[in-house]
Amino acid sequence: MYDPLHDVSPGCGQPYPDSYWADISGTPPEHDGAVSQDIDVDVAIIGAGYTGLSCALHLARNHGIKAHVIEANQTAWGCSGRNAGFILKSSGRKSYSQMAKQWGEEVMRGIYDEMAAGVETVNGLISEGIDCDQQSAGYIKVAHKPNKLKELVELAKLQQKMFGYDVEILSQNDLRQQYMDDRNAYGAIRYQDGFGLNPLKLAWGYQKLARAAGAKVHCASPVSHWKTSGNKQVLQTPNGTVSAQKVVIATNGYTPKGFHDLTTNRTLPVLSQIIVTEPLSEEQLAACNFLTSNVVMDTRALKYYYRKLPDNRILFGGRGAITGKSADDPYYAQRLLSVLKTSFPALANIKYSYAWSGWICMALDDLPHIYQNDEQSVFYSMGYCGSGVSFSVQAGKRLAEKVAEQQVPNLPLYNKALPKFPFAPLRRVGQWGYFHYGKVKDSWF
Ligand SMILES: Cc1cc2nc3c(=O)[nH]c(=O)nc-3n(C[C@H](O)[C@H](O)[C@H](O)COP(=O)(O)OP(=O)(O)OC[C@H]3O[C@@H](n4cnc5c(N)ncnc54)[C@H](O)[C@@H]3O)c2cc1C
């Protein structure tokens, strides 16, 4: 599999991975064809995931700028077509209490408002007619150890007090009787407003809206070289160059090695793995008391997440391999299946029908950053740390405002560059160490 720390290109026109989403979602919508000649444009956006498509959509709708989105493979070939489809009011991994400590309450609230606006923006776009199989609302955060419930309850109280956020506390019994009989769960908190959807259909819906607003989307057009010539950015694709006044880098965890100085050594691509089981029978659902279609995540350092899909399969995810070379080793899918079985022993004989993985994009400070060069000619948004389905759309909207030279909220999300990783060539060694630390922490603490 393509490995962004080692490879200089994600490929050209590669098919979607063998995911559940690619299998069930039907035919991709039309795009504008690969770049086939030299073109001169105002704004080029590299990457047709949620970030790039949202930026193109908002540039066209709100600022009258018709951008060209240049995608190496297919629309949403990266994370946007491979994720678990959890819409959550959050991004990054930094806790609100850490934010308050570092920047004060006002900034913390500002960041919360942006995360909330992300969910509103997604809901607003869906309501324009995107068919993406939304499921019933609710996000359950499960304590994987008895002592973790106390931390969750404290978090719920803080969020209620700070943001008036509606958070329900569920005892182990409440959870097992009303939602699902997860044997690894010791209680939970439940937010009313998260939900699951089909992430690939969501991205395809954004593409239709962006093109209807006047943006162009060119698939099978990897940018292989980039030079600056006068006040133009010149992007080389296999069959033509794209010369642009301004360029947006929307390649997130799929950014190739050494792609641009602005982002080099500032992210760590990490594999997240998903399996989707065969459909559960009525008996199996009853044996697990699997009543809910809410999205579920646990409190481990190395988190597991799951949801029941509309056709009664279970989508189950967690960390994947460390390198692209070992990404497709069935060991990682089997490992997830065995954890799923410890949660639901009644599924001892269940098999998985689909397994795939994708590169999430970690930032050193656990926060996404939307930033630009001094000349205001190259912009980027990345570092969602595995939680970007809703916020990437808000980030795309803010990117569009930056490109159009408008003010954006004065928050670390928007006014600070991604910090550089120290000893960047050793990022994978650090990741390996973190996985081992996480394993010990999750087992013993
Ligand atoms: C397994 C998994 C599960 C996840 N689950 C969730 C979840 O449930 N909820 C949640 O909030 N987040 C989740 N995420 C994270 C979320 O999917 C991402 O944060 C989000 O999709 C990022 O979107 P993006 O548009 O920034 O990047 P991407 O969707 O990754 O798009 C980047 C695009 O750039 C293209 N590209 C790269 N290099 C070039 C080049 N040189 N030329 C042209 N194009 C290029 C790639 O082909 C790719 O299509 C998950 C991620 C993974 C991998």
Side-chain angles (χ1 to χ4, degrees):
M1 184 198 251
Y2 164 64
D3 187 331
L5 278 197
H6 291 286
D7 300 327
V8 292
S9 171
C12 176
Q14 292 292 312
Y16 288 111
D18 291 332
S19 73
Y20 172 74
W21 307 122
D23 201 20
I24 66 154
S25 299
T27 312
E30 272 182 28
H31 62 89
D32 295 282
V35 175
S36 58
Q37 57 183 21
D38 295 351
I39 53 173
D40 204 78
V41 304
D42 291 334
V43 178
I45 299 171
I46 308 173
Y50 303 137
T51 304
L53 294 170
S54 166
C55 183
L57 171 64
H58 289 102
L59 274 173
R61 274 195 184 169
N62 301 350
H63 310 287
I65 299 171
K66 309 223 164 122
H68 287 241
V69 182
I70 317 291
E71 164 58 45
N73 296 306
Q74 321 283 335
T75 299
W77 179 83
C79 274
S80 300
R82 304 175 187 232
N83 64 69
F86 287 28
I87 293 286
L88 304 176
K89 212 190 261 178
S90 61
S91 189
R93 287 166 54 100
K94 205 176 182 81
S95 68
Y96 284 111
S97 50
Q98 283 172 319
M99 292 179 201
K101 211 159 147 193
Q102 192 169 347
W103 300 306
E105 266 192 32
E106 198 183 330
V107 169
M108 175 200 70
R109 278 177 200 281
I111 293 176
Y112 173 81
D113 288 346
E114 287 297 295
M115 301 299 162
V119 177
E120 274 168 37
T121 309
V122 173
N123 280 328
L125 294 174
I126 291 174
S127 69
E128 291 185 34
I130 300 180
D131 161 25
C132 56
D133 310 328
Q134 285 168 270
Q135 292 185 283
S136 58
Y139 162 36
I140 301 175
K141 199 159 182 180
V142 154
H144 79 283
K145 295 255 175 207
N147 63 335
K148 290 286 167 188
L149 186 58
K150 197 167 151 256
E151 286 175 24
L152 284 180
V153 171
E154 276 163 19
L155 175 68
K157 285 186 179 151
L158 178 82
Q159 291 183 327
Q160 271 158 353
K161 186 170 141 230
M162 291 290 187
F163 316 123
Y165 203 174
D166 193 3
V167 193
E168 190 185 348
I169 295 165
L170 299 172
S171 69
Q172 189 180 43
N173 265 349
D174 292 341
L175 183 69
R176 292 185 178 182
Q177 283 170 15
Q178 296 167 32
Y179 294 94
M180 71 279 165
D181 187 7
D182 180 339
R183 301 292 168 87
N184 288 324
Y186 293 86
I189 56 176
R190 180 172 176 274
Y191 300 89
Q192 313 292 336
D193 55 1
F195 61 92
L197 49 62
N198 177 324
L200 184 57
K201 283 190 179 175
L202 181 69
W204 288 352
Y206 293 158
Q207 170 164 309
K208 285 188 202 157
L209 294 178
R211 290 185 72 234
K216 303 267 186 234
V217 179
H218 304 282
C219 294
S221 305
V223 173
S224 53
H225 293 99
W226 180 333
K227 66 175 185 192
T228 305
S229 174
N231 64 348
K232 290 273 177 162
Q233 305 295 321
V234 183
L235 312 174
Q236 183 70 53
T237 74
N239 297 308
T241 56
V242 180
S243 302
Q245 303 275 358
K246 296 184 180 182
V247 174
V248 172
I249 307 175
T251 48
N252 202 42
Y254 284 78
T255 311
K257 184 180 176 185
F259 192 56
H260 194 279
D261 287 352
L262 260 190
T263 59
T264 296
N265 293 338
R266 292 175 191 268
T267 59
L268 171 61
V270 170
L271 280 169
S272 188
Q273 168 92 39
I274 287 180
I275 56 169
V276 169
T277 67
E278 52 198 5
L280 269 56
S281 65
E282 289 304 324
E283 294 73 30
Q284 285 170 319
L285 287 171
C288 305
N289 200 32
F290 221 125
L291 302 171
T292 188
S293 300
N294 286 179
V295 296
V296 183
M297 194 162 341
D298 73 10
T299 42
R300 287 179 169 88
L302 306 175
K303 296 194 186 324
Y304 293 108
Y305 49 89
Y306 64 87
R307 58 187 267 223
K308 184 175 68 171
L309 296 165
D311 57 2
N312 289 336
R313 297 171 189 269
I314 306 297
L315 176 155
F316 197 87
R319 83 162 184 84
I322 291 191
T323 62
K325 215 160 72 183
S326 29
D328 298 324
D329 185 334
Y331 164 81
Y332 296 97
Q334 283 299 343
R335 202 173 59 88
L336 287 183
L337 189 66
S338 42
V339 179
L340 168 68
K341 289 177 180 180
T342 64
S343 279
F344 300 103
L347 303 183
N349 296 321
I350 197 103
K351 297 188 177 61
Y352 65 84
S353 312
Y354 303 87
W356 71 94
S357 57
W359 295 103
I360 63 171
C361 187
M362 304 304 292
L364 184 66
D365 63 353
D366 289 334
L367 203 71
H369 290 265
I370 292 84
Y371 206 63
Q372 65 286 320
N373 62 0
D374 293 341
E375 297 77 25
Q376 312 264 324
S377 55
V378 182
F379 302 75
Y380 67 79
S381 173
M382 52 184 80
Y384 309 113
C385 306
S387 182
V389 179
S390 57
F391 182 68
S392 58
V393 178
Q394 181 68 5
K397 193 173 171 182
R398 295 299 187 198
L399 266 174
E401 288 167 2
K402 285 195 170 208
V403 170
E405 296 173 22
Q406 308 229 324
Q407 285 288 323
V408 300
N410 187 19
L411 295 169
L413 295 168
Y414 306 126
N415 62 21
K416 284 191 172 24
L418 280 164
K420 266 198 173 157
F421 276 81
F423 311 111
L426 301 179
R427 276 168 287 178
R428 286 262 158 90
V429 179
Q431 183 189 348
W432 182 86
Y434 182 77
F435 280 176
H436 282 266
Y437 155 80
K439 213 164 142 187
V440 173
K441 186 165 181 269
D442 292 338
S443 308
W444 298 100
F445 301 101

